[in-house]
Amino acid sequence: MHSMDQLSNPFADASKGDDLFPAGTEDYIHIRIQQRNGRKTLTTVQGITDDYDKKKLVKVFKKKFACNGTVTEHPEYGEVIQLQGDQCNNTRQFLLETGLAKNDQLKVRGF
């Protein structure tokens, strides 16, 4: 039963230092900026493990960065956090400060 559980949720033991994930093979967190219309941009954060409640994270981001945000379901990437505006640096700082991600786990992409 236990091994089936790990197959259905690849992140189940990722943060608990399990031997299944040798150091350095963690999933990357991708921060992307997408151009919307005019000067407006959208920042998406993808790859945060399921150990963290993304809706709570969005709440914190919205308060901290004074922007609107939401969690959307992406067919390819699963749950993705979307934030209004260019929150690239803010998000990066926050993830590093809180220890949610290490510097080499973050992949930042412009538009």
Side-chain angles (χ1 to χ4, degrees):
M1 178 66 198
H2 188 252
S3 60
M4 187 62 210
D5 189 45
Q6 283 176 333
L7 288 175
S8 61
N9 182 0
F11 302 117
D13 298 305
S15 66
K16 298 169 189 66
D18 202 312
D19 299 338
L20 291 172
F21 288 87
T25 58
E26 297 109 318
D27 275 337
Y28 289 110
I29 293 178
H30 297 277
I31 302 171
R32 292 188 181 87
I33 302 172
Q34 294 167 336
Q35 191 71 44
R36 281 175 46 215
N37 45 6
R39 295 185 306 152
K40 299 213 183 309
T41 52
L42 189 68
T43 304
T44 59
V45 184
Q46 167 236 323
I48 293 177
T49 62
D50 293 343
D51 303 348
Y52 302 103
D53 188 340
K54 291 180 187 64
K55 292 197 169 52
K56 282 186 184 158
L57 273 175
V58 166
K59 241 178 149 167
V60 174
F61 286 157
K62 284 163 70 167
K63 240 192 155 94
K64 210 168 163 64
F65 310 151
C67 69
N68 202 359
T70 181
V71 177
T72 57
E73 193 60 50
H74 190 284
E76 200 180 329
Y77 306 132
E79 284 189 325
V80 176
I81 295 175
Q82 285 186 336
L83 299 169
Q84 270 184 358
D86 181 354
Q87 305 303 338
C88 185
N89 292 336
N90 292 340
T91 314
R92 218 174 135 258
Q93 286 299 127
F94 179 82
L95 292 173
L96 292 172
E97 280 167 22
T98 53
L100 265 166
K102 296 178 205 65
N103 202 13
D104 52 4
Q105 274 180 287
L106 294 174
K107 293 261 186 263
V108 179
R109 299 206 169 84
F111 26 107

